[in-house]
């Protein structure tokens, strides 16, 4: 028992928090005000630290991009209020020599009336044309075009594709039995607009995708767009880019061409957007990795050169660098350390202020008592 008492006495001498008896403590009005202010300040600062603790930050890191061989998805949503869908082509060319034409497999086209209201999904006039005989007994001519594997061109679309494979222009559809009424349907779309939305996939090399007026005619590695006489002639490529993104999007991403709107003053206006694409990667706290791309953009508009084909071009150049964003959240230990620092620091400063105020009040009171202060 004596040994325990001696040990307790030793620990009592180590006490850095000596207590003052209640009979020797004094409570003042200034001390009460200071206590309320101290508690309010501690509450505010602790709440701020808690918000900072809960906040997730993205920390960037720049590295060399080693994923150059993968495909890149370009998401687009573009409205052309003065160009009918039947007139527009969507193609891709890149620096490797790869050419992709009529990329509407994953891009939907919506017909728009002159006032901007939606008419409905665009169905190619070729698809609406009827064969001149029942499909079971009919084997239509391809009119010199390269026939498909079946050897028959039973629809207007089949004939058109046969001409395209041959590299021929589709200049006189009314002379083809499978295409009766095709030209009239196209002329009936004059004055309409078109909205395109969806995605295309391109190689991760420099190149461009473009929207041009006219039927696409491809010969070897070259292609051109031809506006035939039976197509609408009163059009321009005024447009609004609702969305243009290279790859998937994440919360902090900003696409500089989103919301861009341009008006063409004439049928020969050509719009060119030059983009610099930088690979991006977001690493989330749960281990998920999202790969995307960001880009910067500049523009050039030409309206005074009648030799230029009216079109909307988006040139893209790929940066060799990649930006990696890593989600970061403060640890619980750092939050608790900050709270302890706030509470301890404010109480220490408040105690010093209280002591100064108390001594000043006592000195003033003593001088009044002896008549030295009126």
């Amino acid at each position: 028992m004596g040994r325990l008492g001696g040990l307790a006495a030793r620990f009592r001498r180590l006490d850095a928090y000596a207590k003052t008896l209640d009979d020797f403590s004094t409570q003042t009005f200034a001390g009460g005000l200071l206590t309320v202010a101290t508690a309010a300040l501690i509450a505010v600062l602790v709440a701020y630290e808690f918000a900072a603790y809960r906040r997730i930050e993205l920390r960037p890191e720049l590295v060399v991009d080693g994923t150059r061989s993968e495909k890149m998805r370009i998401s687009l949503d573009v409205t052309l209020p003065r160009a009918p869908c039947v007139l527009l082509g969507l193609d891709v060319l890149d620096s490797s020599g790869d050419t992709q034409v009529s990329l509407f497999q994953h891009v939907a086209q919506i017909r728009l009336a002159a006032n901007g209201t939606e008419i409905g999904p665009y169905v190619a006039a070729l698809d609406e044309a009827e064969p001149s005989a029942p499909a079971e007994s009919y084997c239509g001519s391809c009119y010199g075009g390269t026939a498909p594997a079946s050897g028959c061109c039973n629809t207007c679309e089949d004939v058109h594709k046969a001409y395209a494979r041959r590299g021929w222009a589709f200049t006189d559809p009314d002379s083809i039995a499978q295409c009766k009424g095709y030209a009239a349907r196209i002329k009936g779309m004059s004055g309409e607009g078109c909205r395109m939305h969806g995605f295309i996939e391109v190689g991760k090399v420099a190149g461009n995708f473009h929207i041009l007026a006219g039927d696409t005619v491809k010969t070897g590695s070259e292609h051109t767009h031809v506006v035939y006489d039976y197509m609408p002639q009163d059009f321009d490529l005024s447009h609004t880019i609702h969305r243009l993104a290279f790859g998937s999007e994440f919360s902090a991403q900003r696409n500089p061409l989103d919301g861009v709107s341009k008006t063409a003053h004439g049928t020969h206006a050509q719009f060119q957007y030059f983009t610099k694409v930088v690979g991006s990667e977001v690493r989330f706290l749960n281990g998920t990795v999202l790969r995307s791309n960001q880009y910067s953009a500049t523009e050039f508009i030409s309206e005074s050169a009648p030799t230029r084909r009216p079109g909307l071009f988006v040139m893209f150049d790929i940066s060799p660098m990649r930006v990696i964003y890593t989600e970061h959240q403060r640890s619980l230990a750092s939050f608790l350390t900050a709270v302890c620092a706030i509470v301890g620091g404010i109480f220490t400063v408040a105690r010093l202020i209280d002591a100064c105020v108390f001594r000043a009040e006592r000195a003033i009171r003593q001088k009044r008592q002896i008549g030295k202060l009126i």
Side-chain angles (χ1 to χ4, degrees):
M1 188 71 178
R3 182 178 297 177
L4 291 176
L7 185 63
R10 290 173 183 167
F11 274 104
R12 191 178 299 114
R13 286 195 295 270
L14 296 175
D15 185 6
Y17 307 102
K19 283 70 177 177
T20 303
L21 296 176
D22 292 341
D23 294 339
F24 298 96
S25 62
T26 303
Q27 293 179 326
T28 64
F29 177 76
L33 288 178
L34 188 60
T35 301
V36 172
T38 299
L41 183 58
I42 289 175
V44 171
L45 293 181
V46 169
Y48 175 80
E49 282 295 325
F50 181 75
Y53 163 67
R54 296 291 299 170
R55 187 183 304 118
I56 296 176
E57 299 178 346
L58 288 176
R59 293 185 175 177
E61 176 187 4
L62 189 65
V63 299
V64 176
D65 191 356
T67 59
R68 306 279 289 177
S69 60
E70 65 183 14
K71 287 286 187 180
M72 180 171 64
R73 175 174 291 191
I74 302 176
S75 302
L76 69 153
D77 187 351
V78 182
T79 293
L80 299 101
R82 302 176 187 171
C85 295
V86 70
L87 196 64
L88 301 176
L90 175 62
D91 309 320
V92 170
L93 297 99
D94 63 39
S95 58
S96 68
D98 185 27
T99 302
Q100 304 177 65
V101 299
S102 300
L103 295 178
F104 293 109
Q105 296 87 347
H106 304 290
V107 177
Q109 295 173 280
I110 306 297
R111 293 171 61 189
L112 303 176
N115 60 3
T117 59
E118 292 188 0
I119 298 174
Y122 168 67
V123 178
L126 289 168
D127 298 334
E128 297 176 351
E130 296 293 336
S132 59
E136 295 181 359
S137 59
Y138 177 74
C139 181
S141 170
C142 294
Y143 295 87
T146 303
S150 64
C152 300
C153 293
N154 291 343
T155 66
C156 190
E157 181 183 11
D158 291 340
V159 179
H160 187 268
K161 289 181 177 179
Y163 271 48
R165 285 190 291 267
R166 181 72 73 179
W168 290 354
F170 202 58
T171 55
D172 189 15
D174 285 340
S175 65
I176 298 172
Q178 296 95 316
C179 298
K180 296 300 182 183
Y182 169 67
R185 271 189 288 273
I186 287 184
K187 289 181 180 179
M189 298 179 185
S190 179
E192 292 184 1
C194 187
R195 181 171 185 174
M196 298 181 179
H197 62 89
F199 68 89
I200 57 178
E201 290 189 337
V202 300
K204 203 167 183 182
V205 294
N208 76 81
F209 73 87
H210 53 261
I211 300 172
L212 287 175
D215 188 33
T216 303
V217 180
K218 184 177 180 182
T219 305
S221 60
E222 302 292 333
H223 77 284
T224 185
H225 293 261
V226 182
V227 179
Y228 303 124
D229 292 338
Y230 56 83
M231 289 182 167
Q233 303 295 316
D234 185 17
F235 67 89
D236 65 58
L237 292 187
S238 301
H239 60 274
T240 298
I241 302 175
H242 304 288
R243 178 171 174 260
L244 180 63
F246 294 83
S248 303
E249 296 182 82
F250 53 93
S251 58
Q253 183 172 337
R254 298 293 181 268
N255 299 317
L257 290 182
D258 286 2
V260 170
S261 183
K262 299 294 180 182
T263 301
H265 303 286
T267 59
H268 296 286
Q270 187 179 95
F271 302 91
Q272 299 181 20
Y273 298 98
F274 299 87
T275 63
K276 187 72 171 182
V277 182
V278 181
S280 304
E281 184 176 308
V282 183
R283 298 177 179 177
F284 297 96
L285 289 173
N286 60 7
T288 304
V289 176
L290 172 65
R291 288 190 172 182
S292 180
N293 300 279
Q294 300 179 87
Y295 66 93
S296 61
T298 57
E299 64 183 51
F300 176 77
I301 303 174
S302 174
E303 296 186 299
S304 58
T307 56
R308 290 180 179 267
R309 292 204 56 80
L312 168 60
F313 291 80
V314 177
M315 284 73 168
F316 48 87
D317 189 16
I318 310 299
S319 170
M321 307 304 292
R322 173 176 288 269
V323 181
I324 298 178
Y325 296 93
T326 304
E327 279 193 339
H328 176 77
Q329 186 176 23
R330 289 177 55 184
S331 65
L332 179 61
S334 68
F335 169 68
L336 295 178
T337 301
V339 170
C340 291
I342 290 171
V343 174
I346 290 179
F347 267 121
T348 300
V349 173
R351 184 177 289 275
L352 291 174
I353 295 173
D354 180 63
C356 292
V357 171
F358 177 72
R359 288 195 180 101
E361 287 182 344
R362 186 173 60 180
I364 292 172
R365 187 167 51 251
Q366 288 176 349
K367 288 184 177 182
R368 281 179 175 173
Q369 288 176 353
I370 61 178
K372 290 186 176 182
L373 185 68
I374 299 177

